[in-house]
């Protein structure tokens, strides 16, 4: 009988890729899903690549929505940012930074190698307490709306496969290898202990 596993999805700003996967997994009935960012600030596209909108992690999605709506409603509607923030604020109040969360997860999925490295660095900096294992898995997903949606499907497939395992710690290497073969995506994986 599969059990509900505790899952964290991490991207850099807890806006697009992690929130799309969080939303999709929740809709598919996964009960213990959280999403995070690993960056120092939340960055959203601005009027040009050199002018991003930068917020602290304690800024709510609603505050970001209202700020960008006032700055340039047409631009942020056209590029999909207001729609994304509207989705996000229906899931949770504000973005969360992974490094500020001390909860334990069984699986942490990152969506780019830089984020994977930041998550591992943070885990290594923590004092070992419970000695419970956590599988940190990276699946590269480009940071745009279309790839975030496709990535959410892939993450859901991966999590569903992992959740079916009776002995995840022993089965995970084989399951990840099969997933790589089926999806054509390369995966990074490490086991860490809390």
């Amino acid at each position: 009988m599969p059990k509900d596993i505790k899952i964290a999805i991490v991207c850099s700003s807890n806006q697009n890729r992690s929130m799309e996967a969080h939303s999709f997994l929740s809709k598919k009935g996964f009960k213990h899903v959280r999403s995070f960012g690993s960056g120092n600030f939340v960055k959203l596209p601005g009027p040009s690549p050199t002018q991003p909108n930068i917020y602290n992690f304690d800024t709510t999605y609603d505050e970001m929505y209202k700020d960008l709506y006032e700055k340039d409603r047409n631009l942020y509607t056209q590029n999909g940012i207001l729609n994304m923030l509207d989705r996000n604020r229906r899931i949770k109040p504000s973005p969360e930074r992974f490094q500020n969360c001390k909860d334990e997860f069984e699986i942490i999925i990152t969506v780019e190698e830089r984020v994977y490295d930041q998550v591992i660095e943070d885990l290594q900096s923590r004092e070992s307490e419970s000695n419970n294992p956590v599988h940190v898995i990276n699946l590269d997903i480009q940071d745009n709306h279309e790839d975030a949606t496709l990535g959410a499907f892939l993450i859901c497939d991966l999590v569903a496969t992992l959740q079916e395992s009776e002995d995840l710690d022993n089965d995970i290497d084989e399951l990840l290898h099969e997933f790589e073969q089926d999806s054509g995506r390369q995966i990074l994986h490490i086991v860490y202990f809390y």
Side-chain angles (χ1 to χ4, degrees), residues 5-6 12 20-21 25 30 37 45 51 55 137 142 156 177 179:
I5 52 181
K6 294 178 184 170
S12 56
E20 183 68 26
L25 287 167
F30 292 94
Q51 296 174 295
Y55 301 96
I137 300 166
Q142 293 295 311
C156 186
H177 179 71
F179 182 82

Side-chain angles (χ1 to χ4, degrees), residues 98 102-108 116 119-137 167-170 172-173 189-194:
F98 179 78
K102 300 309 174 200
D103 295 343
E104 291 188 8
F105 299 94
E106 292 162 89
I107 296 173
I108 299 171
Y116 177 79
V119 166
I120 292 169
E121 181 181 323
D122 177 67
L123 290 171
Q124 290 173 339
S125 73
R126 299 179 186 192
E127 281 199 35
S128 185
E129 294 180 15
S130 69
N131 231 17
N132 292 327
V134 57
H135 295 276
V136 184
I137 300 166
D167 187 355
L168 184 60
D169 295 333
N170 285 326
I172 193 161
D173 287 333
H189 170 245
I190 190 170
V191 179
Y192 198 78
F193 293 88
Y194 284 107

Side-chain angles (χ1 to χ4, degrees), residues 136-179:
V136 184
I137 300 166
N138 184 69
L139 177 63
D140 280 329
I141 299 168
Q142 293 295 311
D143 194 4
N144 61 59
H145 298 300
E146 183 178 327
D147 285 335
T149 301
L150 294 172
F153 281 93
L154 285 170
I155 289 170
C156 186
D157 287 346
L158 176 59
V159 170
T161 299
L162 298 176
Q163 183 169 279
E164 290 296 319
S165 172
E166 294 289 334
D167 187 355
L168 184 60
D169 295 333
N170 285 326
D171 296 344
I172 193 161
D173 287 333
E174 184 179 330
L175 294 171
L176 291 177
H177 179 71
E178 288 174 13
F179 182 82

